[in-house]
Amino acid sequence: KNISVGGSGGGGLNVNGFRFGGDDTRTSSLPKAEISPAGDFLVDGKTVEIDAAQRELLLAHRANIISIAEAGITIGIQGAQLGAEAAKGAIASALSGQSADFEKRMEAEGAKIEAEADKLCDNLPPLLASQQALAAALPAFQPYATMDATDVEDCRKDTVVHRDDAAAEADAAAESASN
């Protein structure tokens, strides 16, 4: 299946609500652009003429997009499972009086999801590099290259679990006491 890389309102990459590479408006005025499984670059459904080196760059960029999407799918599945377990477990823990154990287990599961989100962020530098290399080698791709270094920097900020100050202070105190 072809992978959209922008145009017609599809600018950037959106994985589970995290947006990389600009907002939809940056490429919305452009025709839709896609990369095929064979490494063809299509603009408005028409194949752009490319050479072997450009095809290699297109395939590398496509592989990077797929790795981000796979990480996003993993996060989504884990989040759904955690939600179902939380709903089930909340009732059971309230009835059994073991809500503290349940809360600890849910926090541990949440930390696993945050670790998966960090893996997604780890995939952004190669995606940015492949996008930049592709934009430099294939002029027709340049208008679709909307991701920049701030997307990479912002990713970890966006994946941090935001908790109230008391919980953060307690964690910081516990961490400094253990060191």
Side-chain angles (χ1 to χ4, degrees):
K1 184 175 176 178
N2 292 349
I3 293 177
S4 176
V5 292
S8 303
L13 178 65
N14 191 330
V15 178
N16 284 346
F18 291 99
R19 176 145 211 81
F20 309 105
D23 57 33
D24 287 340
T25 61
R26 291 180 64 183
T27 63
S28 64
S29 64
L30 299 172
K32 184 175 184 176
E34 301 172 294
I35 302 173
S36 77
D40 293 312
F41 185 55
L42 301 122
V43 176
D44 204 19
K46 297 174 184 85
T47 303
V48 174
E49 190 173 321
I50 57 171
D51 62 28
Q54 291 167 327
R55 181 177 307 280
E56 196 172 307
L57 290 169
L58 283 158
L59 287 169
H61 189 58
R62 186 178 196 283
N64 286 329
I65 292 170
I66 289 170
S67 72
I68 297 248
E70 288 172 344
I73 289 167
T74 299
I75 294 166
I77 290 170
Q78 287 178 338
Q81 289 171 338
L82 180 61
E85 189 176 333
K88 218 172 29 176
I91 295 168
S93 68
L95 294 174
S96 68
Q98 296 180 343
S99 58
D101 290 341
F102 173 72
E103 187 175 326
K104 285 180 188 174
R105 197 168 81 245
M106 290 296 98
E107 285 180 14
E109 291 301 317
K112 288 180 190 176
I113 294 173
E114 189 171 345
E116 286 300 320
D118 284 342
K119 287 181 189 176
L120 187 147
C121 293
D122 291 342
N123 288 326
L124 288 184
L127 180 67
L128 177 59
S130 67
Q131 176 201 260
Q132 290 174 326
L134 185 54
L138 183 59
F141 182 78
Q142 289 173 358
Y144 301 97
T146 59
M147 183 179 179
D148 61 32
T150 59
D151 293 306
V152 176
E153 295 161 10
D154 290 346
C155 184
R156 294 218 192 270
K157 291 179 204 167
D158 291 341
T159 61
V160 172
V161 175
H162 301 286
R163 298 180 294 165
D164 61 47
D165 290 340
E169 288 173 19
D171 285 349
E175 187 175 304
S176 65
S178 67
N179 291 335

